[in-house]
Amino acid sequence: MTAVLVAVAAVLFLAAACTLVRIVRGPSMLDRAMALDVLLAVIMAGLGASAVADGDTWVLPTLLALSLVAFVGSVAVARFLTHRVPAPDDPDRGADA
């Protein structure tokens, strides 16, 4: 069981490190927001693995609150980015504009 926990911790650490690189490098706000959602999912997976390993159920309310924060944050960023009016020379501007 210990080897499995070490492997899970290593994979989650690698995923979190890659996600942090994407948050720092960008290149757009949408990439950063998506990476932040992935980082929250990695944190929730780590908390879940910790709860399974220890046999504790105290983590369940925390996981529920984190999932709610992640969902509301995703919806807020999506609404913000869809109502943004791009500048005429914006490279992210679609062909339909």
Side-chain angles (χ1 to χ4, degrees):
M1 183 71 165
T2 305
V4 173
L5 289 176
V6 169
V8 167
V11 168
L12 289 175
F13 180 77
L14 182 64
C18 292
T19 304
L20 285 174
V21 168
R22 178 50 55 197
I23 289 173
V24 170
R25 289 186 64 193
S28 69
M29 180 68 180
L30 188 58
D31 290 329
R32 289 184 173 102
M34 195 59 141
L36 191 59
D37 285 339
V38 172
L39 185 62
L40 276 172
V42 169
I43 289 170
M44 289 189 300
L47 285 173
S50 169
V52 169
D54 295 338
D56 290 334
T57 58
W58 65 269
V59 181
L60 293 176
T62 306
L63 288 174
L64 183 63
L66 275 177
S67 65
L68 183 64
V69 166
F71 174 74
V72 170
S74 297
V75 170
V77 168
R79 280 189 66 97
F80 173 73
L81 291 177
T82 56
H83 293 296
R84 182 177 74 115
V85 177
D89 59 347
D90 190 5
D92 291 335
R93 186 177 180 186
D96 58 341

